[in-house]
Amino acid sequence: MQHRTLGKTGFSISEISLGTWQVGGRWGEPFSHENADAILNAAVDGGINFIDTADVYGDGESEKAVGRLVRNCSERIYVATKCGRQLQPHTNEAYQTKALRQFVENSLRNMQLETLDLIQLHCPPTDVYYRPEIFELFDRLKEEGKILNMGVSVERVEEGLKALNFSNVTTIQLIFNMFRQRPTELLFAEAKRHDVGLIVRVPLASGLLTGKFTPQTTFAPDDHRQFNRHGEAFDKGETFSGVNYETGLAAVEELKQLFPDQPNLAPIALRWVLMFDEVSCVIPGASKPEQLASNLQAAELPALTEEQMQAVRDIYNQKIRPQVHQVW
């Protein structure tokens, strides 16, 4: 496992890390701590030392599982969690310092930790990025010893660029993958200039980039890949990266031709993300240990050639770019 520095946090973290949106099991199933423990322990055994969670994952059960791992692990495990998505309605007006402070304290209680390595605003409405008092709160929390660092999880490039105006923002979490390439145009360079770490989520476009889906693939009614295709529950870009399912399948077929020796595209898709030096880590999720093992294979792959990188750009420009580029 290779390590990269997470921006101005100074943390040396595994370039392949773990997102825990699904660590308790498959979408729509009750949270399984047995499943979570199996995945989390396998992650540490595989060299992962950075884990991303959130207070809304499993209604706090994900944080509890992550906290249990950290407390019982001899290795230094860095934990990032998020706050804000509990607000209902999830609006700019609902973002108040008192509520956010309470969320941080609740996360500390869930994980039974004294300090959070990284707390991130969880995809807040764009207007929140124009409110200095929200960001100043995290300076107070740092002075109180409750957090070490703060960052933001964003939906749009513009939100990430605005976040860079706040000196206490140490990380930006964003969607970046073969089907979401706009961040390379400006955000990557600006984040590097500000020494802000980039945490990449949804690197497999909700599974599309594994190459395992077909037109006949079905998803459970309470799976976001079924109920959120048009943004019914949250930002459409979180589901298949906002790409039309059939268009995504067609693009994946071209990717399979580009990498004919790879029966599983997932490691290739993760290796593609890691070709960008500005990326601090990629945090694919896993709902079972076998998926984690697949993700870890990316660490063993050689660098993609410039010809392969150009071919991926061509597929994106021809099939995907018209749908998503200007939106996120």
Side-chain angles (χ1 to χ4, degrees):
M1 179 67 71
Q2 299 296 313
H3 290 73
R4 301 186 183 192
T5 301
L6 184 60
K8 63 180 80 170
T9 70
F11 298 159
S12 178
I13 62 172
S14 49
E15 62 181 13
I16 299 172
S17 292
L18 178 66
T20 61
W21 197 2
Q22 297 172 269
V23 76
R26 296 181 62 183
W27 270 94
E29 296 178 353
F31 192 95
S32 167
H33 279 275
E34 180 180 1
N35 192 71
D37 288 347
I39 293 171
L40 291 168
N41 283 292
V44 174
D45 291 343
I48 288 174
N49 73 343
F50 179 82
I51 298 174
D52 177 82
T53 186
D55 55 4
V56 292
Y57 295 172
D59 292 327
E61 297 303 309
S62 176
E63 285 189 332
K64 293 176 184 177
V66 171
R68 183 168 60 247
L69 173 82
V70 172
R71 297 193 310 274
N72 295 319
C73 195
S74 59
E75 296 94 333
R76 174 65 163 104
I77 306 298
Y78 297 98
V79 176
T81 191
K82 311 183 201 73
C83 64
R85 292 298 302 192
Q86 290 189 66
L87 295 168
Q88 294 296 333
H90 187 241
T91 61
N92 172 49
E93 293 74 20
Y95 271 76
Q96 301 295 328
T97 56
K98 182 178 179 180
L100 293 172
R101 172 181 285 277
Q102 187 62 58
F103 292 152
V104 170
E105 293 176 352
N106 290 347
S107 290
L108 287 168
R109 190 175 304 112
N110 278 343
M111 290 191 275
Q112 298 181 39
L113 299 175
E114 293 184 0
T115 306
L116 300 176
D117 294 319
L118 174 65
I119 182 71
Q120 305 158 95
L121 291 177
H122 198 170
C123 298
T126 302
D127 286 349
V128 171
Y129 294 93
Y130 292 83
R131 295 173 57 194
E133 76 275 12
I134 296 298
F135 290 82
E136 289 168 359
L137 164 68
F138 296 93
D139 286 332
R140 307 290 83 76
L141 292 169
K142 184 174 181 179
E143 291 168 0
E144 296 166 17
K146 295 178 179 177
I147 69 169
L148 293 181
N149 300 279
M150 78 89 59
V152 296
S153 182
V154 305
E155 297 289 4
R156 293 169 175 77
V157 164
E158 290 80 6
E159 294 168 348
L161 292 171
K162 180 60 181 175
L164 292 173
N165 292 334
F166 298 99
S167 61
N168 61 348
V169 170
T170 63
T171 63
I172 295 173
Q173 184 178 139
L174 72 161
I175 296 176
F176 177 61
N177 57 51
M178 289 176 169
F179 290 171
R180 181 75 71 86
Q181 298 191 27
R182 187 182 177 193
T184 61
E185 292 181 351
L186 180 59
L187 182 57
F188 276 24
E190 287 299 294
K192 183 176 182 178
R193 187 167 70 87
H194 287 82
D195 194 21
V196 166
L198 294 178
I199 302 168
V200 170
R201 73 178 187 276
V202 198
L204 302 179
S206 306
L208 259 180
L209 288 169
T210 65
K212 297 180 179 180
F213 295 167
T214 71
Q216 290 72 44
T217 300
T218 59
F219 303 97
D222 49 5
D223 187 316
H224 75 104
R225 292 171 294 188
Q226 179 64 35
F227 69 73
N228 194 57
R229 292 194 184 188
H230 304 289
E232 292 92 335
F234 40 79
D235 192 287
K236 178 183 174 181
E238 297 284 351
T239 301
F240 299 134
S241 295
V243 176
N244 172 272
Y245 184 66
E246 287 72 22
T247 302
L249 289 178
V252 165
E253 287 305 309
E254 294 193 18
L255 290 171
K256 288 180 178 179
Q257 296 174 27
L258 179 59
F259 302 101
D261 299 328
Q262 297 294 329
N264 178 7
L265 277 181
I268 287 288
L270 296 176
R271 190 68 186 87
W272 180 89
V273 171
L274 294 172
M275 290 295 295
F276 297 85
D277 294 338
E278 298 90 345
V279 170
S280 301
C281 72
V282 59
I283 52 169
S287 61
K288 50 187 177 181
E290 294 80 3
Q291 292 173 344
L292 175 69
S294 168
N295 296 337
L296 289 172
Q297 290 176 19
E300 304 170 5
L301 292 177
L304 274 61
T305 66
E306 178 50 44
E307 290 76 15
Q308 289 171 326
M309 294 295 288
Q310 183 59 53
V312 172
R313 284 193 291 271
D314 291 343
I315 293 170
Y316 171 79
N317 287 332
Q318 293 164 14
K319 282 197 158 42
I320 306 299
R321 184 185 181 105
Q323 286 188 19
V324 306
H325 195 82
Q326 74 284 1
V327 182
W328 292 280

